Amino acid sequence: MIAMNENDALVLDLAIGSRFRVRSLGKHSKRLDGRTGRVIGFAQTKNALRVILDGHKHPQTLHRSYLEPLVETAS
């Protein structure tokens, strides 16, 4: 049986097309802190995702621990 930790559950919530917010991780992510975007794919490692931040043209790879899923509400 494979044990899952909290980060494994988060990556399951972050499917391609899902929205996310960058977590506040102290001094390591000041310029990304609180930004939002969309998952566009998976990186070569299981610990990273290809994302595009809102207002940006080019995708980048971020570690999954930096991301938290956003709950989209119908308006």
Side-chain angles (χ1 to χ4, degrees):
M1 184 170 173
I2 298 173
M4 284 181 57
N5 62 26
E6 179 182 329
N7 287 341
D8 291 333
L10 284 176
V11 81
L12 295 177
D13 292 340
L14 289 167
I16 293 175
S18 63
R19 304 269 308 149
F20 68 87
R21 178 186 328 272
V22 179
R23 292 179 180 199
S24 177
L25 295 174
K27 68 178 183 177
H28 297 291
S29 65
K30 289 274 188 210
R31 70 183 175 88
L32 296 175
D33 188 13
R35 293 204 180 223
T36 58
R38 188 168 300 277
V39 176
I40 60 169
F42 299 98
Q44 290 181 347
T45 67
K46 67 178 183 173
N47 294 324
L49 297 168
R50 294 291 287 167
V51 301
I52 190 152
L53 297 171
D54 294 342
H56 290 228
K57 293 181 182 179
H58 302 286
Q60 59 188 46
T61 302
L62 292 176
H63 192 273
R64 69 181 183 184
S65 66
Y66 278 45
L67 310 176
E68 61 182 341
L70 283 178
V71 178
E72 294 184 20
T73 58
S75 7

